[in-house]
């Protein structure tokens, strides 16, 4: 395979990752709504640690530090989205 064909393959993979991130974001918003109704905080230290540790244990070509950075970034972005969603709900905005 040529470099160009491999790059096209990566482009397709990136599109799949993006669609999955969008699905994760929609699910995070649903969870934020449920947490708000139950009076729970958005930040769940134990859950976040569990997610990161689960993926750090899996075999991959990435270092465990890289895996931790990737998932910490995804989790932080999801938490930020949940916090924004809750702030907008309190102000009467529809998200």
């Amino acid at each position: 395979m040529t470099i160009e064909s491999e790059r096209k393959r990566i482009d397709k993979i990136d599109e799949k990752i993006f669609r999955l991130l969008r699905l994760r974001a929609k699910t995070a918003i649903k969870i934020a709504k449920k947490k708000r109704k139950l009076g729970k905080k958005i930040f769940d230290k134990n859950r976040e640690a569990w997610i990161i540790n689960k993926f750090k244990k899996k075999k991959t070509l990435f270092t465990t530090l890289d895996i931790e950075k990737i998932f910490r970034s995804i989790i932080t972005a999801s938490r930020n989205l949940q916090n924004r969603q809750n702030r907008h709900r309190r102000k009467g905005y529809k998200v």
Side-chain angles (χ1 to χ4, degrees):
M1 294 189 112
T2 66
I3 290 174
E4 196 55 42
S5 64
E6 292 293 350
R7 285 181 175 161
K8 286 180 182 179
R9 186 172 178 207
I10 284 178
D11 291 343
K12 288 179 183 179
I13 293 167
D14 288 345
E15 287 295 326
K16 289 178 184 179
I17 291 169
F18 185 80
R19 284 194 305 271
L20 289 171
L21 286 171
R22 187 171 50 217
L23 179 59
R24 191 183 201 288
K26 289 178 181 181
T27 305
I29 288 172
K30 289 178 184 177
I31 291 170
K33 291 175 185 177
K34 291 177 181 185
K35 284 181 176 181
R36 189 179 77 249
K37 286 180 183 177
L38 295 171
K40 292 188 172 194
K41 294 181 179 182
I42 294 297
F43 180 66
D44 184 342
K45 181 174 85 172
N46 293 330
R47 169 82 177 148
E48 292 186 11
W50 179 82
I51 292 168
I52 290 168
N53 288 328
K54 177 176 76 166
F55 287 104
K56 282 171 63 174
K57 292 177 186 174
K58 293 185 181 272
K59 291 188 180 199
T60 178
L61 298 175
F62 293 108
T63 67
T64 55
L65 180 60
D66 287 335
I67 291 297
E68 181 174 350
K69 286 178 181 178
I70 290 165
F71 279 93
R72 195 167 297 283
S73 179
I74 292 169
I75 290 167
T76 298
S78 295
R79 186 176 352 107
N80 291 342
L81 178 63
Q82 288 178 320
N83 284 324
R84 281 194 311 272
Q85 194 273 341
N86 274 348
R87 279 194 305 274
H88 288 308
R89 285 282 181 198
R90 284 193 298 267
K91 292 180 179 179
Y93 296 108
K94 186 172 182 177
V95 178

